[in-house]
Amino acid sequence: MSLLKAFFVWCIWLGLFELSFGRRVPYHFDVEYTYKKPDCYEHVVIGINGKFPGPTITAEVNDTLVITLTNKLSTEGTVIHWHGIRQLDTPWADGTAAISQCAINPGETFVYEFKVDRPGTYFYHGHYGMQRAAGLYGSLIVNLPKTQSEPFHYDGEFNLLLSDLWHTSSHEQEVGLSSAPMRWVGEPQSLLINGRGQFNCSLAARYGNTGLQPCNLKGGEECAPQILHVEPKKTYRIRIASTTSLASLNLAISNHKLIVVEADGNYVHPFAVDDIDIYSGETYSVLLTTNQDPNKNYWLSIGVRGRKPGTPQGLTILNYKKISASVFPISPPPITPLWDDFERSKTFTKKIISKMGTPQPPKTADRRILLLNTQNRLGGFTKWSINNVSLTLPTTPYLGSIKFKLNNTFDRTPPLDTFPMDYDIFKNPVNPNTTVGNGVYTFQLNQIVDVILQNTNQLTGNGSEIHPWHLHGHDFWVLGYGEGKFRPGVDEKSFNLTRAPLRNTAVIFPYGWTALRFKADNPGVWAFHCHIEPHLHLGMGVIFAEGVHKIKKIPTDALTCGATARMFANNKH
């Protein structure tokens, strides 16, 4: 065989190998505090390799990401969660401190190595303390192999990472939340699009309806909006991810329809809207066709939903390349819908159904868990609780404790599968007090599990908050949403068992319930929690475990703390 022919055969073999098994894609992350001006106002954020937000990770289906993370924070640990990546066969790489691994200590390096097995729009963020609120996040995009095509056409794409920003540090926020009485974090100072926003001013002040002064962008390039430059009569895919700590958002582009085609890494039945609601932890892809007057520019806006807003809209411009990007749109930005128009939110959310061909949920479940979301007190401190237990994490990661059958590392009493059925969700809790705990919901491998998330009235006064819940290690089918208290034996009749969307994050609306179904088919220990950072910090989460005995090997570097560290040390002697 000639050298040329051999080389040709080798190239074909290499291509087929990469198509089947993927490449190894390396990244190196130095995580450290840095001064930035994301909203033209200088303060400290957590950056990666000096960048804020962190670098965008791009890969193809079946690639293995090898991310070498060095903690340069000097005074605190860190971990990173790869949001939406199921971590099949690599549960130790999920990036949850005290659950899947030990925190990475200052000066230490840890290697995350995991396969990305399906295309979609994802992101990553800190999962230790409140480091997401401090800016530890970035985008993660998984593309189809170049030999495959998406089920929809587009000529180009943009990536939008949405976040909220405070001028108080995450440490100060933590101290306030953990004080008695609690000092709430308040509304964010700014909304950021790809890490850029403007504080106490508006790009749209010229229209006279904002009540804010014009922005002079004194922070320069760091806070100048990233313009979306488009050609006329083209279709663009806009990938949108929300890593907000608190804010639910609404996104709109003046005069343009948005076609929703992807949610949380899963294709959905396409539908057209004027704007979309996006909750913390959710991701979407929308298609935008540039079919408007090409001699004008148009606003892209994000505004607060679900909470009485105290934060100006985040803005940037959709620029038709025929004119300068410095030309302002002739009209003011889209008006963000009223913050408490929850019926509008429900209408949008219920439009999301699965694309034909998506696996349907099993017709029945093997087990049902009802989770009551309440705000409570514990010795004068404010907590969030699930079935009257506020989650407090152990010092030894659950994954090691369960895998190696270590005693006295967490509470082995299983949490309750339900709550008292006479609980009045429309009133303040009769018993405002709660307890803390760290028990685990344990499922048999491949068990079909229903989770009913039940919302309630707040601790004092009248009101019920929106909570976006995120499940690690799995997607779930969203079977339905309902008003008031879930009625076992009745509300199941309304479940969507044919076109239920697959998601990893789902919202519960005020005074309502949301029904989810998933298959416990991924050996590991997984967090399931409200994605609002202060709520999780105050205990709003539970722990799921399944098939831990099936996990073949956990890197010892993941378990260098607590009882697992002592176990490894004793085994050396």
Side-chain angles (χ1 to χ4, degrees):
M1 183 184 296
S2 68
L3 286 176
L4 184 61
K5 186 175 181 180
F7 177 75
F8 181 70
V9 170
W10 180 82
C11 287
I12 293 175
W13 178 86
L14 183 63
L16 290 173
F17 179 85
E18 287 193 351
L19 186 64
S20 301
F21 300 99
R23 307 162 298 165
R24 289 175 63 82
V25 182
Y27 284 87
H28 191 101
F29 280 10
D30 286 341
V31 176
E32 56 192 328
Y33 283 106
T34 181
Y35 282 105
K36 294 291 181 184
K37 297 180 179 179
D39 62 354
C40 307
Y41 179 90
E42 185 178 73
H43 54 101
V44 172
V45 298
I46 298 181
I48 297 175
N49 302 341
K51 294 182 178 181
F52 167 80
T56 296
I57 294 173
T58 57
E60 290 185 1
V61 171
N62 289 326
D63 284 349
T64 296
L65 289 172
V66 184
I67 300 161
T68 303
L69 188 154
T70 299
N71 180 4
K72 294 189 174 181
L73 297 178
S74 77
T75 59
E76 60 192 289
T78 193
V79 293
I80 288 183
H81 169 56
W82 317 96
H83 187 108
I85 306 300
R86 291 177 295 180
Q87 300 296 346
L88 302 175
D89 299 321
T90 53
W92 51 268
D94 190 47
T96 47
I99 301 171
S100 63
Q101 69 170 111
C102 300
I104 305 163
N105 290 322
E108 291 183 346
T109 295
F110 182 81
V111 179
Y112 290 100
E113 184 171 337
F114 55 90
K115 179 175 283 192
V116 289
D117 64 313
R118 60 196 176 142
T121 304
Y122 309 103
F123 63 100
Y124 61 86
H125 61 81
H127 217 293
Y128 180 77
M130 290 180 61
Q131 290 178 351
R132 176 157 54 96
L136 183 52
Y137 47 75
S139 294
L140 196 167
I141 307 300
V142 182
N143 295 305
L144 283 169
K146 295 179 179 61
T147 55
Q148 299 180 27
S149 299
E150 297 280 7
F152 40 81
H153 166 78
Y154 56 97
D155 302 296
E157 72 175 59
F158 297 99
N159 186 40
L160 300 182
L161 185 65
L162 312 181
S163 54
D164 42 14
L165 180 73
W166 282 259
H167 292 169
T168 51
S169 71
S170 59
H171 296 125
E172 187 174 343
Q173 292 182 43
E174 285 185 48
V175 172
L177 291 169
S178 303
S179 297
M182 180 185 70
R183 299 185 184 186
W184 180 241
V185 299
E187 299 305 304
Q189 275 66 65
S190 308
L191 300 178
L192 306 183
I193 303 172
N194 290 341
R196 300 181 183 202
Q198 294 77 45
F199 167 60
N200 203 27
C201 68
S202 175
L203 296 175
R206 63 190 293 139
Y207 303 99
N209 62 350
T210 64
L212 296 169
Q213 63 185 358
C215 299
N216 63 14
L217 303 184
K218 59 184 181 294
E221 182 67 18
E222 278 190 65
C223 63
Q226 287 187 348
I227 308 296
L228 279 63
H229 301 284
V230 297
E231 300 279 359
K233 301 188 185 306
K234 300 288 186 181
T235 297
Y236 292 87
R237 178 183 191 170
I238 304 178
R239 298 178 182 268
I240 310 165
S242 176
T243 186
T244 56
S245 293
L246 177 64
S248 302
L249 300 174
N250 178 272
L251 180 144
I253 301 178
S254 303
N255 295 54
H256 290 76
K257 291 284 187 181
L258 305 174
I259 310 296
V260 181
V261 293
E262 177 210 351
D264 293 354
N266 293 285
Y267 299 125
V268 299
H269 182 72
F271 64 98
V273 290
D274 294 318
D275 54 80
I276 71 167
D277 282 344
I278 180 167
Y279 302 97
S280 178
E282 291 186 329
T283 67
Y284 290 98
S285 280
V286 299
L287 301 181
L288 173 140
T289 299
T290 51
N291 54 10
Q292 297 301 301
D293 186 346
N295 296 305
K296 298 177 183 177
N297 287 326
Y298 302 88
W299 288 111
L300 185 153
S301 69
I302 56 172
V304 173
R305 297 274 277 133
R307 304 181 61 83
K308 189 172 183 179
T311 312
Q313 285 182 316
L315 297 171
T316 189
I317 287 176
L318 182 77
N319 164 238
Y320 280 64
K321 291 183 182 178
K322 289 189 68 174
I323 64 171
S324 169
S326 63
V327 175
F328 271 71
I330 62 172
S331 301
I335 297 173
T336 300
L338 291 174
W339 70 272
D340 57 354
D341 185 354
F342 296 116
E343 292 308 310
R344 183 188 177 102
S345 302
K346 294 171 188 176
T347 298
F348 169 76
T349 302
K350 291 175 183 178
K351 286 181 179 178
I352 302 170
I353 60 174
S354 64
K355 183 178 174 63
M356 289 294 290
T358 301
Q360 295 182 356
K363 298 303 180 185
T364 58
D366 303 311
R367 182 174 173 187
R368 173 183 290 163
I369 296 172
L370 289 88
L371 301 179
L372 186 74
N373 293 237
T374 58
Q375 192 181 40
N376 302 90
R377 290 196 187 97
L378 181 67
F381 296 89
T382 301
K383 295 289 185 180
W384 279 97
S385 302
I386 305 303
N387 293 353
N388 209 43
V389 177
S390 183
L391 179 65
T392 177
L393 295 174
T395 55
T396 301
Y398 291 104
L399 190 63
S401 291
I402 298 173
K403 171 68 175 176
F404 300 115
K405 298 181 174 61
L406 301 178
N407 296 322
N408 305 317
T409 52
F410 67 90
D411 185 358
R412 300 290 174 150
T413 304
L416 296 175
D417 277 12
T418 188
F419 58 89
M421 286 295 102
D422 61 353
Y423 188 97
D424 191 339
I425 69 164
F426 296 102
K427 294 183 179 179
N428 307 126
V430 175
N431 175 18
N433 298 314
T434 189
T435 59
V436 295
N438 53 30
V440 174
Y441 288 99
T442 302
F443 307 123
Q444 298 175 13
L445 196 59
N446 296 317
Q447 194 171 24
I448 306 301
V449 181
D450 276 3
V451 177
I452 311 298
L453 293 164
Q454 177 67 64
N455 215 339
T456 64
N457 197 70
Q458 59 199 32
L459 180 60
T460 59
N462 293 317
S464 181
E465 294 190 43
I466 276 181
H467 300 290
W469 274 75
H470 171 59
L471 177 58
H472 294 227
H474 308 76
D475 282 350
F476 46 67
W477 289 275
V478 183
L479 301 183
Y481 307 86
E483 308 293 330
K485 189 162 65 174
F486 182 79
R487 298 166 298 170
V490 176
D491 286 321
E492 295 94 331
K493 296 174 184 177
S494 67
F495 284 177
N496 176 6
L497 298 178
T498 57
R499 300 295 294 277
L502 277 167
R503 304 292 301 264
N504 61 57
T505 303
V507 64
I508 38 173
F509 292 104
Y511 300 112
W513 55 263
T514 298
L516 315 174
R517 180 169 292 172
F518 74 97
K519 187 175 184 179
D521 58 357
N522 190 7
V525 184
W526 310 105
F528 182 45
H529 62 89
C530 178
H531 210 260
I532 292 175
E533 190 85 311
H535 292 181
L536 174 59
H537 184 73
L538 294 174
M540 198 172 194
V542 294
I543 304 298
F544 291 165
E546 69 225 37
V548 177
H549 63 286
K550 293 282 190 180
I551 299 170
K552 295 177 182 177
K553 181 173 175 57
I554 304 172
T556 55
D557 285 354
L559 300 173
T560 56
C561 61
T564 45
R566 294 191 293 273
M567 180 192 73
F568 291 139
N570 292 334
N571 288 344
K572 289 179 180 178
H573 298 289

